[in-house]
Amino acid sequence: MAGLSSTIYNSVFKRTSTFALACVGAVFFFERSFDLTSELLFDKINEGKLWKHIKHNYEK
Amino acid sequence: MAASVGRICGAGLLKPTCGLTTSQISSFSTTREWTRGRKALISTLGVLAGGAGALVLALDQSVKASDLELHPPKNPWNHKGILSSLDHASVRRGYQVYKQVCAACHSMRFVAYRDLVGVSHTEDEAKAEAEEQLITDGPDENGNMFQRPGKLSDYFPNPYANEEAARAANNGAFPPDLSYIVSARHGGEDYVFSLLTGYCEAPAGIVLREGQYYNPYFPGGAISMAQALFNEVLEYDDGTPASASQLAKDVATFLKWTAEPEHDDRKRMIIKATGIFSLLIAVTFYIKRHKWISLKTRKIEFKPRK
């Protein structure tokens, strides 16, 4: 455990450049997963009511 | 101020349990020397004054006959929940009702055909809807206005040329623009639904002028719009039975959408905002505990110099 945390510290958190890069990367993955999860939740709650659920009836 | 408080309470303020303060304060009361009869007189006067005030207020409220209006009952709309979106099939049917019934008199000048795309119609359908209408455009190179079929970017056409023409055609009453009517009326979509389904015979004593109808939900009761929605007044494209209440429900949902086109996005944002802010609150709470723990667990000792 100590080995892992010191590896992470030395490779990511020690230098500002890698730390900033890690922030940017983490934000990308967090934002995508958070956004998709909340969209999924909204679609689940409103199953059958949204336009995307009924549009196949009207598209040729 | 601080000096007089200090004089009254003395060191009692600094003590954790201050039994001294309450006993001292009660001795400053000016009613202690009153006789029993005087106390009874004062309290009787107080009760009488309060009762008279309440009576006057109640009598005043009871004669406000101008406030006599029927408030629409709250209906269980399926977009009413805190995370519930509009029913877009109902919005689509409501557009059909608006187009075939309401649009004969009511304008909707803040809604364009492009707004329907992705909400109730596909792009091709919205284009076809727009092309059914003749839009006045111009001027051309000779300075004349001309008519052309509608485009996606056109707003819904006005049934009358101007407000005066609308009044002249409707016994002097102006059919309001319906774009934001749900936000503009007390009760919102409940009011629209109740108004459309609430026509009845005028009770005895109500005098209606020529071209007026009785609707208890309309402030004043006399409305210049005749009942417009009846069973089977039109046929829905998706086969839903077109009862009068179904028509009213669908058109109210459609008007809810035109008044609040951001309705669904707003409710989607509730989920996202709740998620993000609960994360941020947890982090803030942790940092607060982290920073304060050294202060909160510290013990200060006073060591007088020997």
Side-chain angles (χ1 to χ4, degrees):
Chain A
M1 194 58 213
L4 183 68
S5 57
S6 67
T7 316
I8 292 176
Y9 174 74
N10 282 327
S11 56
V12 180
F13 296 125
K14 201 170 176 183
R15 266 159 302 171
T16 306
S17 56
T18 51
F19 184 57
L21 204 67
C23 283
V24 171
V27 161
F28 177 77
F29 285 106
F30 172 77
E31 198 276 337
R32 280 326 295 150
S33 55
F34 184 80
D35 231 32
L36 289 177
T37 316
S38 43
E39 292 279 331
L40 196 74
L41 189 65
F42 186 75
D43 294 352
K44 204 83 191 163
I45 292 169
N46 298 301
E47 187 77 57
K49 283 159 74 184
L50 297 172
W51 170 244
K52 69 170 111 174
H53 299 139
I54 57 165
K55 70 176 176 185
H56 59 88
N57 296 329
Y58 307 108
E59 279 171 340
K60 280 139 207 148
Chain B
M1 181 67 200
S4 52
V5 169
R7 214 171 297 132
I8 292 167
C9 299
L13 274 181
L14 294 173
K15 284 180 186 163
T17 50
C18 185
L20 193 63
T21 321
T22 45
S23 62
Q24 277 185 340
I25 284 177
S26 70
S27 68
F28 284 101
S29 169
T30 50
T31 56
R32 274 165 70 88
E33 294 96 46
W34 287 4
T35 59
R36 204 181 152 79
R38 186 169 179 181
K39 278 181 184 169
L41 177 72
I42 293 289
S43 42
T44 314
L45 278 180
V47 168
L48 280 179
L55 183 68
V56 165
L57 188 72
L59 287 175
D60 182 55
Q61 291 294 321
S62 67
V63 295
K64 279 190 176 155
S66 62
D67 201 35
L68 192 66
E69 68 177 273
L70 193 53
H71 294 282
K74 303 254 178 298
N75 293 305
W77 300 93
N78 60 4
H79 57 258
K80 214 160 195 189
I82 194 164
L83 297 176
S84 306
S85 74
L86 291 169
D87 185 356
H88 285 243
S90 185
V91 172
R92 187 186 168 97
R93 291 193 296 269
Y95 168 73
Q96 200 184 340
V97 179
Y98 167 74
K99 189 178 97 176
Q100 297 185 15
V101 183
C102 318
C105 299
H106 288 278
S107 63
M108 195 175 258
R109 61 202 168 100
F110 297 109
V111 184
Y113 287 100
R114 60 183 155 82
D115 296 332
L116 298 175
V117 177
V119 174
S120 57
H121 292 71
T122 64
E123 191 172 336
D124 293 335
E125 285 174 325
K127 269 181 188 160
E129 292 291 333
E131 278 164 9
E132 284 177 19
Q133 308 292 337
L134 277 179
I135 306 287
T136 308
D137 200 356
D140 59 8
E141 60 268 28
N142 297 321
N144 299 319
M145 304 301 275
F146 59 91
Q147 301 257 302
R148 61 161 173 79
K151 295 185 286 193
L152 269 187
S153 56
D154 282 317
Y155 287 82
F156 286 8
N158 197 324
Y160 301 107
N162 48 55
E163 185 181 331
E164 282 66 25
R167 283 191 189 282
N170 290 288
N171 274 329
F174 177 53
D177 187 271
L178 292 186
S179 308
Y180 296 110
I181 203 78
V182 164
S183 302
R185 293 289 179 273
H186 284 291
E189 59 268 45
D190 287 318
Y191 169 76
V192 173
F193 179 86
S194 298
L195 188 82
L196 289 173
T197 53
Y199 283 88
C200 60
E201 287 291 316
I206 300 270
V207 183
L208 296 173
R209 281 182 292 139
E210 183 68 28
Q212 284 194 326
Y213 306 87
Y214 185 74
N215 194 318
Y217 295 100
F218 191 71
I223 186 171
S224 292
M225 180 176 92
Q227 183 172 2
L229 299 181
F230 300 94
N231 291 336
E232 313 293 334
V233 76
L234 56 82
E235 203 162 300
Y236 278 133
D237 291 339
D238 60 1
T240 308
S243 62
S245 56
Q246 177 75 38
L247 295 162
K249 177 248 174 191
D250 288 336
V251 83
T253 309
F254 174 67
L255 293 175
K256 175 78 175 172
W257 169 72
T258 60
E260 296 175 19
E262 82 293 347
H263 181 276
D264 289 1
D265 284 330
R266 215 174 56 217
K267 294 193 165 167
R268 200 178 279 121
M269 288 309 290
I270 288 178
I271 300 180
K272 294 183 183 175
T274 313
I276 286 286
F277 280 118
S278 45
L279 269 177
L280 289 180
I281 284 173
V283 170
T284 315
F285 184 68
Y286 174 80
I287 292 178
K288 188 260 166 187
R289 294 290 292 260
H290 181 75
K291 295 287 180 194
W292 277 79
I293 196 154
S294 58
L295 272 172
K296 291 250 182 180
T297 55
R298 185 155 57 183
K299 191 172 186 181
I300 300 174
E301 202 177 340
F302 177 60
K303 282 187 182 165
R305 203 177 288 159
K306 292 275 158 45

